[in-house]
Amino acid sequence: MTCKIVINNPGIFGPGDAISGKIICMFEREERIRGIKCQFRGREQVHWNERRGKHTTHYHGQNDFVVANTNFAEEGTMGPGKYEYFFSYVLPPAFIPSSYQHQFGSIRYFLHAFVDRPFAFDYKDDVALHVVSPIINSPTTHQMRPISLEVNKEVGTCCWPKEPSTMELQLEKDNYVVGDVINFKALINNTSDSEISSVMVQLSTTIQLTAYSPSTRHKTERVLLAVAEGSGVAQGSRKIHKFSLKIPETAIITNFTKCTLFRQWCSLRVQALYPLFHSNMVAEITIKLGNTVIRMDQMQHPISNPSNSFVPVAQAPPVVYPPVPPSAPLANDRLTYIDDNNGTAEGPPPSYDDVVKGSY
């Protein structure tokens, strides 16, 4: 008595791919069931413990961003035999996250099939599916225009106020893919009486996990991708720094579209370093970072959100086992069996004694 999922095309799936296969149920004897069901899930979950003093709090969260259910058989009685139920499911062509595994959470796609038995353990099977959903950047006129960010900082005393120092970042665009080079300028006007010793540049990605139970809690991890350093700026002077940062091709950028528990962003952070008794002047700008790029002339059809329906495409009739000894409760069942003399016959299966004596 088993329930097994067989995938026709195992491997790595992407947006728009079809997942097809069959569910095979084997019954050795007649059984009462409440149904034969299959569930398709795209699920994100997070969990971690935080200890404060003697008290430990378990933070967790779970969300199903893709849900599809189907019933292949309703409540009733299943005779002995092999039952096959075929299915096909097409992933949405876009706007789905990638499979992801983290120390404190995961994003998983899986199929769960089971035979629902009343007052007994269910027959069940699970199959994990690996989905890779690239982040596609499609440059537009707005994204190809230069962008800028300006910050200012007052450095002085309350008795001798000065005009705030300023730093302006100028980028060619805000849309990049791994392997690109980010060319930008940092225009610094140091109006203070203190020298800026150096200018530090950091390009990094940040992943944020969010748990909603027992209360909202965040956990963040920052990964440094590239760094650069510029010379200092004397007091009362201006300077233009030009930087070129290459985004490593090995940078891991995960698609968290549709997720509520996972976020990732890429930021460019520039710091003008003052002496220890002054805080630094910091400018930070968020950029869009993807895995691949698609040109406007490649976008032939607009992307739409399809319905997430799990569709059974066929249902095979049961394949019945050959006759069995009378120890199994089949005496009153009508089955189709093989008759060596006359081909096929229908009716109650022959008894064990008839089979041994050859009198049927």
Side-chain angles (χ1 to χ4, degrees), residues 14-17 65-66 89-98 109 131-136 255 257-258 299 301-308:
D17 286 349
F65 51 84
V66 174
Y89 179 82
V90 179
L91 288 169
F95 310 117
I96 59 172
S98 295
Y109 293 83
V131 174
V132 174
S133 180
I135 302 176
I136 300 176
N255 192 340
T257 303
K258 293 287 187 181
M299 299 184 66
H301 304 288
I303 296 175
S304 59
N305 282 306
S307 60
N308 294 325

Side-chain angles (χ1 to χ4, degrees), residues 102-132:
H102 189 274
Q103 179 184 0
F104 302 112
S106 65
I107 300 174
R108 296 179 58 238
Y109 293 83
F110 59 91
L111 286 167
H112 175 63
F114 61 100
V115 179
D116 188 358
R117 300 197 303 158
F119 310 109
F121 291 109
D122 296 337
Y123 307 140
K124 57 186 177 181
D125 190 24
D126 293 278
V127 172
L129 305 169
H130 190 65
V131 174
V132 174

Side-chain angles (χ1 to χ4, degrees), residues 37-346:
K37 305 175 183 180
C38 189
Q39 301 173 342
F40 180 86
R41 291 286 186 274
R43 174 174 294 173
E44 57 173 333
Q45 57 182 356
V46 296
H47 52 85
W48 68 84
N49 294 328
E50 292 188 11
R51 186 176 180 84
R52 294 183 178 180
K54 297 182 178 180
H55 182 67
T56 300
T57 303
H58 178 66
Y59 292 95
H60 57 94
Q62 180 174 295
N63 173 52
D64 290 345
F65 51 84
V66 174
V67 178
N69 301 311
T70 190
N71 293 336
F72 288 111
E74 301 296 335
E75 183 174 359
T77 300
M78 303 295 292
K82 176 182 178 182
Y83 297 78
E84 296 183 352
Y85 302 94
F86 294 82
F87 63 82
S88 178
Y89 179 82
V90 179
L91 288 169
F95 310 117
I96 59 172
S98 295
S99 300
Y100 180 71
Q101 187 64 44
H102 189 274
Q103 179 184 0
F104 302 112
S106 65
I107 300 174
R108 296 179 58 238
Y109 293 83
F110 59 91
L111 286 167
H112 175 63
F114 61 100
V115 179
D116 188 358
R117 300 197 303 158
F119 310 109
F121 291 109
D122 296 337
Y123 307 140
K124 57 186 177 181
D125 190 24
D126 293 278
V127 172
L129 305 169
H130 190 65
V131 174
V132 174
S133 180
I135 302 176
I136 300 176
N137 281 353
S138 53
T140 63
T141 304
H142 170 72
Q143 292 167 331
M144 292 304 293
R145 290 202 305 262
I147 61 172
S148 63
L149 171 69
E150 182 176 333
V151 296
N152 60 72
K153 176 178 175 58
E154 293 184 1
V155 179
T157 65
C158 58
C159 300
W160 303 99
K162 284 185 171 291
E163 181 183 353
S165 298
T166 62
M167 177 166 58
E168 181 182 1
L169 302 184
Q170 295 181 354
L171 280 74
E172 297 174 341
K173 56 182 181 177
D174 73 340
N175 199 317
Y176 299 88
V177 296
V178 292
D180 280 352
V181 175
I182 303 176
N183 297 309
F184 67 97
K185 298 178 182 179
L187 289 69
I188 300 176
N189 181 21
N190 185 13
T191 61
S192 71
D193 294 331
S194 299
E195 179 185 4
I196 295 176
S197 59
S198 62
V199 178
M200 298 296 298
V201 179
Q202 295 179 327
L203 179 69
S204 62
T205 59
T206 302
I207 293 180
Q208 182 184 76
L209 288 70
T210 302
Y212 291 107
S213 181
S215 60
T216 301
R217 192 75 169 178
H218 303 291
K219 182 180 286 290
T220 59
E221 290 185 359
R222 183 168 171 263
V223 178
L224 198 61
L225 299 180
V227 296
E229 184 176 0
S231 58
V233 182
Q235 60 187 36
S237 62
R238 298 166 58 93
K239 199 169 189 178
I240 299 177
H241 291 80
K242 296 182 180 180
F243 296 98
S244 293
L245 284 181
K246 181 178 174 60
I247 305 171
E249 296 183 0
T250 56
I252 299 176
I253 310 299
T254 305
N255 192 340
F256 290 134
T257 303
K258 293 287 187 181
C259 291
T260 60
L261 309 182
F262 290 89
R263 286 183 59 216
Q264 183 178 28
W265 62 89
C266 182
S267 59
L268 180 66
R269 180 182 176 91
V270 181
Q271 298 184 77
L273 305 182
Y274 280 98
L276 293 177
F277 51 86
H278 291 299
S279 60
N280 299 326
M281 182 165 53
V282 180
E284 187 167 359
I285 191 167
T286 301
I287 63 175
K288 299 180 179 68
L289 186 55
N291 309 106
T292 185
V293 65
I294 182 170
R295 302 188 308 271
M296 294 300 294
D297 56 2
Q298 293 176 314
M299 299 184 66
Q300 300 177 357
H301 304 288
I303 296 175
S304 59
N305 282 306
S307 60
N308 294 325
S309 57
F310 190 89
V311 183
V313 295
Q315 177 176 327
V319 179
V320 180
Y321 285 140
V324 295
S327 57
L330 299 175
N332 296 324
D333 289 346
R334 296 185 65 83
L335 303 175
T336 300
Y337 60 93
I338 304 299
D339 188 327
D340 292 336
N341 299 319
N342 301 316
T344 60
E346 184 174 330

Side-chain angles (χ1 to χ4, degrees), residues 11-24:
I12 298 176
F13 298 95
D17 286 349
I19 302 169
S20 61
K22 60 184 176 180
I23 299 169
I24 303 175

